[in-house]
Amino acid sequence: MTSDRSAALRIDGDRLMRRIEDLAAIGPIDGGGSCRLALTDDDRAGRDLVVTWMRDLGLDISIDGIGNVVGVRAGRIDGPPTMTGSHIDTVRTGGRYDGNLGVLAGLEVIETLETNGIETEHPVAVGFFTDEEGARFPPDMLGSLVYVGGMAVEEALDIEGIDGAVVGAELDRIGYRGTSPCPGPSPRAFVELHVEQGPVLEAEGVTIGAVTGVQGISWTELTITGQSNHAGTTPMALRHDPAYVAAKVTAHVRELATRMGAMGEGRQVATVGRIELHPNLVNVVAASASMTVDLRNTDEALLQEAESDLARFVAEAAAAEGVTVVERTLARFEPVAFDDRVVDAVAAVAVDLGHSVRRMPSGAGHDAQMLARVCPTGMVFVPSRDGISHNPAEHTDPADLVAGADVLLQTILTLDQEPLDR
Ligand code: GLV
Ligand code: MN
Ligand code: MN
């Protein structure tokens, strides 16, 4: 049981909104969003700002070998912290809440404890993980994956980005290759606040999502090589056209997801998010196409079925057109189930605070799905207007942002009082 004084604690909504504004002003883009692709100069500026706030709060700050930054406020006893956090890197067309909300609400939780002189039993930590988006350096959730020991830091440092830059060199360049060890110390529990990035909460008029898990993610890059030639002189029957195969694959993955989504238990989604043709000219049959396919499903067996279907179709389409295809896996994560104790705590706190709540899986990937490998983990969702995200138009009502941050605060206080031994 938390004390009456702790139970009455609420975060400062104006301070939270100010910090969201200030961070969004770094790497601003038309439409009100931000572009802070991982390990760019704008990412560095965002990191510097958040680290300044951590310092102002007197947190014990550490930076590890992949650039994850963690700030800890001491508790009554030493030992692993109850941890929160998220990411501050964005996609190129990012909104202002994706990731940033979770980090800034974490700071707000700690500042609220600090200004009210509340001593927790265990330390409380807030972190931001490197390259959650994976939009520049695949896979997504790279920093948290390394944090939990799912990838060796040496391997991560060698990853090449879509612009040819390399993770290790970029970390050095922006001054965020730290000295704390990877994998990092396991927290006693992890809970992340995030915007839903989908339409469910808004459609149902529900304020808080108690997230039960994250669907599986499969990213594949296809490099299709054909025969470049003159657009006017090459008879159609003699073409080996990578653009045609890329288009067929694009149409097929839509058809695949529609078909599987309509039949299965799992909810299949499929996206071709990037296609690049070379030389990309009006009167030239392309020499090559590079494209990505993002497949997701809450059910691992169905996700594997979608992957096999894609591989089969690609092989057939390539053979029919006489092109070659090289496939590379950019990310592959199985579906993750969160810990009932954390999910229940989130749901109970939401009800206590007078909010409507719904248990739901996450469609997007999150750092929490990596932390779930090492400690009891859960997430809090708040509604996204029109379900829009990875778009500068991403929006959540300030009242919902504040509601989510208050649920985060009270969930952390609840977990602080629970034994949570596995
Ligand atoms: C990452 O955040 C993703 O869901 O793609
Ligand atoms: Mn995110
Ligand atoms: Mn995102």
Side-chain angles (χ1 to χ4, degrees), residues 116-139:
N116 288 277
I118 302 287
E119 186 180 46
T120 52
E121 190 70 7
H122 304 274
V124 176
V126 57
F128 59 87
F129 296 98
T130 295
D131 186 41
E132 188 273 351
E133 294 291 3
R136 187 177 182 212
F137 299 103

PDB file of all heavy atoms in Angstrom, residues 116-139:
ATOM      1  N   ASN A 116       8.120  16.844  -3.834  1.00  0.00           N
ATOM      2  CA  ASN A 116       7.242  16.508  -2.706  1.00  0.00           C
ATOM      3  C   ASN A 116       7.974  15.769  -1.591  1.00  0.00           C
ATOM      4  O   ASN A 116       7.344  15.323  -0.630  1.00  0.00           O
ATOM      5  CB  ASN A 116       6.047  15.684  -3.195  1.00  0.00           C
ATOM      6  CG  ASN A 116       5.075  16.532  -3.994  1.00  0.00           C
ATOM      7  OD1 ASN A 116       4.224  17.211  -3.424  1.00  0.00           O
ATOM      8  ND2 ASN A 116       5.224  16.539  -5.309  1.00  0.00           N
ATOM      9  N   GLY A 117       9.274  15.636  -1.764  1.00  0.00           N
ATOM     10  CA  GLY A 117      10.083  14.998  -0.725  1.00  0.00           C
ATOM     11  C   GLY A 117       9.684  13.562  -0.449  1.00  0.00           C
ATOM     12  O   GLY A 117       9.731  13.099   0.687  1.00  0.00           O
ATOM     13  N   ILE A 118       9.268  12.832  -1.502  1.00  0.00           N
ATOM     14  CA  ILE A 118       8.852  11.434  -1.315  1.00  0.00           C
ATOM     15  C   ILE A 118      10.068  10.521  -1.475  1.00  0.00           C
ATOM     16  O   ILE A 118      10.762  10.572  -2.495  1.00  0.00           O
ATOM     17  CB  ILE A 118       7.792  11.033  -2.369  1.00  0.00           C
ATOM     18  CG1 ILE A 118       6.565  11.949  -2.295  1.00  0.00           C
ATOM     19  CG2 ILE A 118       7.415   9.555  -2.224  1.00  0.00           C
ATOM     20  CD1 ILE A 118       5.677  11.740  -1.111  1.00  0.00           C
ATOM     21  N   GLU A 119      10.284   9.702  -0.463  1.00  0.00           N
ATOM     22  CA  GLU A 119      11.359   8.720  -0.561  1.00  0.00           C
ATOM     23  C   GLU A 119      10.745   7.379  -0.954  1.00  0.00           C
ATOM     24  O   GLU A 119       9.826   6.889  -0.288  1.00  0.00           O
ATOM     25  CB  GLU A 119      12.070   8.600   0.788  1.00  0.00           C
ATOM     26  CG  GLU A 119      13.284   7.709   0.725  1.00  0.00           C
ATOM     27  CD  GLU A 119      13.992   7.583   2.071  1.00  0.00           C
ATOM     28  OE1 GLU A 119      13.296   7.369   3.088  1.00  0.00           O
ATOM     29  OE2 GLU A 119      15.227   7.685   2.098  1.00  0.00           O
ATOM     30  N   THR A 120      11.224   6.802  -2.042  1.00  0.00           N
ATOM     31  CA  THR A 120      10.731   5.477  -2.432  1.00  0.00           C
ATOM     32  C   THR A 120      11.590   4.415  -1.763  1.00  0.00           C
ATOM     33  O   THR A 120      12.711   4.686  -1.333  1.00  0.00           O
ATOM     34  CB  THR A 120      10.781   5.302  -3.973  1.00  0.00           C
ATOM     35  OG1 THR A 120      12.094   5.634  -4.430  1.00  0.00           O
ATOM     36  CG2 THR A 120       9.755   6.178  -4.655  1.00  0.00           C
ATOM     37  N   GLU A 121      11.040   3.208  -1.735  1.00  0.00           N
ATOM     38  CA  GLU A 121      11.773   2.095  -1.142  1.00  0.00           C
ATOM     39  C   GLU A 121      13.001   1.770  -2.023  1.00  0.00           C
ATOM     40  O   GLU A 121      14.117   1.680  -1.545  1.00  0.00           O
ATOM     41  CB  GLU A 121      10.801   0.899  -1.092  1.00  0.00           C
ATOM     42  CG  GLU A 121      11.249  -0.278  -0.310  1.00  0.00           C
ATOM     43  CD  GLU A 121      11.266  -0.013   1.204  1.00  0.00           C
ATOM     44  OE1 GLU A 121      10.800   1.063   1.626  1.00  0.00           O
ATOM     45  OE2 GLU A 121      11.774  -0.878   1.934  1.00  0.00           O
ATOM     46  N   HIS A 122      12.735   1.631  -3.306  1.00  0.00           N
ATOM     47  CA  HIS A 122      13.785   1.273  -4.271  1.00  0.00           C
ATOM     48  C   HIS A 122      14.158   2.509  -5.085  1.00  0.00           C
ATOM     49  O   HIS A 122      13.366   3.444  -5.194  1.00  0.00           O
ATOM     50  CB  HIS A 122      13.267   0.196  -5.221  1.00  0.00           C
ATOM     51  CG  HIS A 122      12.772  -1.022  -4.517  1.00  0.00           C
ATOM     52  ND1 HIS A 122      13.589  -2.066  -4.141  1.00  0.00           N
ATOM     53  CD2 HIS A 122      11.526  -1.349  -4.072  1.00  0.00           C
ATOM     54  CE1 HIS A 122      12.887  -2.983  -3.513  1.00  0.00           C
ATOM     55  NE2 HIS A 122      11.626  -2.581  -3.452  1.00  0.00           N
ATOM     56  N   PRO A 123      15.348   2.524  -5.678  1.00  0.00           N
ATOM     57  CA  PRO A 123      15.666   3.630  -6.596  1.00  0.00           C
ATOM     58  C   PRO A 123      14.649   3.673  -7.745  1.00  0.00           C
ATOM     59  O   PRO A 123      14.027   2.660  -8.077  1.00  0.00           O
ATOM     60  CB  PRO A 123      17.049   3.253  -7.132  1.00  0.00           C
ATOM     61  CG  PRO A 123      17.608   2.257  -6.159  1.00  0.00           C
ATOM     62  CD  PRO A 123      16.437   1.534  -5.576  1.00  0.00           C
ATOM     63  N   VAL A 124      14.503   4.857  -8.343  1.00  0.00           N
ATOM     64  CA  VAL A 124      13.662   5.012  -9.536  1.00  0.00           C
ATOM     65  C   VAL A 124      14.571   5.520 -10.656  1.00  0.00           C
ATOM     66  O   VAL A 124      15.328   6.475 -10.462  1.00  0.00           O
ATOM     67  CB  VAL A 124      12.510   6.013  -9.298  1.00  0.00           C
ATOM     68  CG1 VAL A 124      11.704   6.220 -10.583  1.00  0.00           C
ATOM     69  CG2 VAL A 124      11.582   5.513  -8.183  1.00  0.00           C
ATOM     70  N   ALA A 125      14.506   4.857 -11.811  1.00  0.00           N
ATOM     71  CA  ALA A 125      15.372   5.239 -12.933  1.00  0.00           C
ATOM     72  C   ALA A 125      14.535   5.651 -14.127  1.00  0.00           C
ATOM     73  O   ALA A 125      13.436   5.130 -14.344  1.00  0.00           O
ATOM     74  CB  ALA A 125      16.275   4.064 -13.316  1.00  0.00           C
ATOM     75  N   VAL A 126      15.075   6.604 -14.905  1.00  0.00           N
ATOM     76  CA  VAL A 126      14.477   6.963 -16.197  1.00  0.00           C
ATOM     77  C   VAL A 126      15.587   6.867 -17.245  1.00  0.00           C
ATOM     78  O   VAL A 126      16.706   7.330 -17.010  1.00  0.00           O
ATOM     79  CB  VAL A 126      13.826   8.367 -16.180  1.00  0.00           C
ATOM     80  CG1 VAL A 126      14.798   9.460 -15.774  1.00  0.00           C
ATOM     81  CG2 VAL A 126      13.204   8.688 -17.536  1.00  0.00           C
ATOM     82  N   GLY A 127      15.258   6.244 -18.372  1.00  0.00           N
ATOM     83  CA  GLY A 127      16.288   6.092 -19.400  1.00  0.00           C
ATOM     84  C   GLY A 127      15.761   6.435 -20.774  1.00  0.00           C
ATOM     85  O   GLY A 127      14.550   6.453 -21.002  1.00  0.00           O
ATOM     86  N   PHE A 128      16.705   6.764 -21.685  1.00  0.00           N
ATOM     87  CA  PHE A 128      16.326   6.776 -23.102  1.00  0.00           C
ATOM     88  C   PHE A 128      17.312   5.899 -23.861  1.00  0.00           C
ATOM     89  O   PHE A 128      18.514   5.940 -23.648  1.00  0.00           O
ATOM     90  CB  PHE A 128      16.167   8.179 -23.691  1.00  0.00           C
ATOM     91  CG  PHE A 128      17.359   9.085 -23.632  1.00  0.00           C
ATOM     92  CD1 PHE A 128      18.322   9.072 -24.632  1.00  0.00           C
ATOM     93  CD2 PHE A 128      17.495   9.988 -22.595  1.00  0.00           C
ATOM     94  CE1 PHE A 128      19.404   9.937 -24.588  1.00  0.00           C
ATOM     95  CE2 PHE A 128      18.581  10.860 -22.538  1.00  0.00           C
ATOM     96  CZ  PHE A 128      19.543  10.832 -23.532  1.00  0.00           C
ATOM     97  N   PHE A 129      16.728   5.046 -24.720  1.00  0.00           N
ATOM     98  CA  PHE A 129      17.493   4.026 -25.417  1.00  0.00           C
ATOM     99  C   PHE A 129      17.802   4.489 -26.843  1.00  0.00           C
ATOM    100  O   PHE A 129      16.985   5.132 -27.495  1.00  0.00           O
ATOM    101  CB  PHE A 129      16.707   2.716 -25.446  1.00  0.00           C
ATOM    102  CG  PHE A 129      16.487   2.141 -24.068  1.00  0.00           C
ATOM    103  CD1 PHE A 129      15.285   2.346 -23.397  1.00  0.00           C
ATOM    104  CD2 PHE A 129      17.496   1.426 -23.434  1.00  0.00           C
ATOM    105  CE1 PHE A 129      15.093   1.834 -22.123  1.00  0.00           C
ATOM    106  CE2 PHE A 129      17.316   0.909 -22.165  1.00  0.00           C
ATOM    107  CZ  PHE A 129      16.110   1.114 -21.502  1.00  0.00           C
ATOM    108  N   THR A 130      18.981   4.119 -27.286  1.00  0.00           N
ATOM    109  CA  THR A 130      19.471   4.522 -28.613  1.00  0.00           C
ATOM    110  C   THR A 130      18.689   3.836 -29.744  1.00  0.00           C
ATOM    111  O   THR A 130      18.437   2.631 -29.673  1.00  0.00           O
ATOM    112  CB  THR A 130      20.967   4.147 -28.720  1.00  0.00           C
ATOM    113  OG1 THR A 130      21.697   4.930 -27.768  1.00  0.00           O
ATOM    114  CG2 THR A 130      21.513   4.387 -30.115  1.00  0.00           C
ATOM    115  N   ASP A 131      18.337   4.620 -30.762  1.00  0.00           N
ATOM    116  CA  ASP A 131      17.850   4.057 -32.033  1.00  0.00           C
ATOM    117  C   ASP A 131      16.680   3.098 -31.847  1.00  0.00           C
ATOM    118  O   ASP A 131      16.706   1.986 -32.356  1.00  0.00           O
ATOM    119  CB  ASP A 131      19.019   3.342 -32.759  1.00  0.00           C
ATOM    120  CG  ASP A 131      18.630   2.846 -34.154  1.00  0.00           C
ATOM    121  OD1 ASP A 131      17.931   3.585 -34.867  1.00  0.00           O
ATOM    122  OD2 ASP A 131      19.025   1.729 -34.526  1.00  0.00           O
ATOM    123  N   GLU A 132      15.663   3.550 -31.137  1.00  0.00           N
ATOM    124  CA  GLU A 132      14.479   2.701 -31.010  1.00  0.00           C
ATOM    125  C   GLU A 132      13.798   2.532 -32.350  1.00  0.00           C
ATOM    126  O   GLU A 132      13.226   1.496 -32.659  1.00  0.00           O
ATOM    127  CB  GLU A 132      13.484   3.299 -29.999  1.00  0.00           C
ATOM    128  CG  GLU A 132      12.322   2.385 -29.654  1.00  0.00           C
ATOM    129  CD  GLU A 132      11.129   2.478 -30.591  1.00  0.00           C
ATOM    130  OE1 GLU A 132      11.094   3.394 -31.453  1.00  0.00           O
ATOM    131  OE2 GLU A 132      10.233   1.643 -30.484  1.00  0.00           O
ATOM    132  N   GLU A 133      13.837   3.609 -33.159  1.00  0.00           N
ATOM    133  CA  GLU A 133      13.056   3.568 -34.400  1.00  0.00           C
ATOM    134  C   GLU A 133      13.638   2.605 -35.428  1.00  0.00           C
ATOM    135  O   GLU A 133      12.906   2.035 -36.224  1.00  0.00           O
ATOM    136  CB  GLU A 133      12.940   4.976 -34.993  1.00  0.00           C
ATOM    137  CG  GLU A 133      12.121   5.950 -34.137  1.00  0.00           C
ATOM    138  CD  GLU A 133      10.634   5.599 -34.102  1.00  0.00           C
ATOM    139  OE1 GLU A 133      10.242   4.580 -34.676  1.00  0.00           O
ATOM    140  OE2 GLU A 133       9.874   6.359 -33.479  1.00  0.00           O
ATOM    141  N   GLY A 134      14.950   2.468 -35.450  1.00  0.00           N
ATOM    142  CA  GLY A 134      15.543   1.601 -36.470  1.00  0.00           C
ATOM    143  C   GLY A 134      15.394   2.163 -37.870  1.00  0.00           C
ATOM    144  O   GLY A 134      15.658   1.479 -38.853  1.00  0.00           O
ATOM    145  N   ALA A 135      14.948   3.425 -37.978  1.00  0.00           N
ATOM    146  CA  ALA A 135      14.679   3.999 -39.299  1.00  0.00           C
ATOM    147  C   ALA A 135      15.992   4.335 -40.017  1.00  0.00           C
ATOM    148  O   ALA A 135      16.052   4.323 -41.239  1.00  0.00           O
ATOM    149  CB  ALA A 135      13.822   5.254 -39.158  1.00  0.00           C
ATOM    150  N   ARG A 136      17.048   4.626 -39.230  1.00  0.00           N
ATOM    151  CA  ARG A 136      18.351   4.881 -39.847  1.00  0.00           C
ATOM    152  C   ARG A 136      19.251   3.646 -39.758  1.00  0.00           C
ATOM    153  O   ARG A 136      19.917   3.294 -40.717  1.00  0.00           O
ATOM    154  CB  ARG A 136      19.019   6.081 -39.155  1.00  0.00           C
ATOM    155  CG  ARG A 136      20.303   6.529 -39.843  1.00  0.00           C
ATOM    156  CD  ARG A 136      20.914   7.760 -39.184  1.00  0.00           C
ATOM    157  NE  ARG A 136      22.102   8.199 -39.869  1.00  0.00           N
ATOM    158  CZ  ARG A 136      23.135   8.783 -39.265  1.00  0.00           C
ATOM    159  NH1 ARG A 136      23.106   9.036 -37.972  1.00  0.00           N
ATOM    160  NH2 ARG A 136      24.192   9.145 -39.974  1.00  0.00           N
ATOM    161  N   PHE A 137      19.242   3.014 -38.574  1.00  0.00           N
ATOM    162  CA  PHE A 137      20.088   1.828 -38.352  1.00  0.00           C
ATOM    163  C   PHE A 137      19.205   0.655 -37.904  1.00  0.00           C
ATOM    164  O   PHE A 137      18.781   0.620 -36.749  1.00  0.00           O
ATOM    165  CB  PHE A 137      21.107   2.101 -37.236  1.00  0.00           C
ATOM    166  CG  PHE A 137      22.058   3.233 -37.513  1.00  0.00           C
ATOM    167  CD1 PHE A 137      21.872   4.468 -36.905  1.00  0.00           C
ATOM    168  CD2 PHE A 137      23.143   3.061 -38.364  1.00  0.00           C
ATOM    169  CE1 PHE A 137      22.746   5.519 -37.140  1.00  0.00           C
ATOM    170  CE2 PHE A 137      24.024   4.106 -38.601  1.00  0.00           C
ATOM    171  CZ  PHE A 137      23.821   5.347 -37.988  1.00  0.00           C
ATOM    172  N   PRO A 138      18.913  -0.317 -38.794  1.00  0.00           N
ATOM    173  CA  PRO A 138      18.128  -1.458 -38.348  1.00  0.00           C
ATOM    174  C   PRO A 138      18.964  -2.391 -37.474  1.00  0.00           C
ATOM    175  O   PRO A 138      20.178  -2.444 -37.671  1.00  0.00           O
ATOM    176  CB  PRO A 138      17.736  -2.146 -39.659  1.00  0.00           C
ATOM    177  CG  PRO A 138      18.790  -1.756 -40.637  1.00  0.00           C
ATOM    178  CD  PRO A 138      19.282  -0.392 -40.214  1.00  0.00           C
ATOM    179  N   PRO A 139      18.357  -3.127 -36.529  1.00  0.00           N
ATOM    180  CA  PRO A 139      16.921  -3.245 -36.288  1.00  0.00           C
ATOM    181  C   PRO A 139      16.396  -2.126 -35.399  1.00  0.00           C
ATOM    182  O   PRO A 139      17.174  -1.353 -34.833  1.00  0.00           O
ATOM    183  CB  PRO A 139      16.816  -4.575 -35.536  1.00  0.00           C
ATOM    184  CG  PRO A 139      18.083  -4.627 -34.726  1.00  0.00           C
ATOM    185  CD  PRO A 139      19.130  -3.986 -35.602  1.00  0.00           C
TER     186      PRO A 139
END
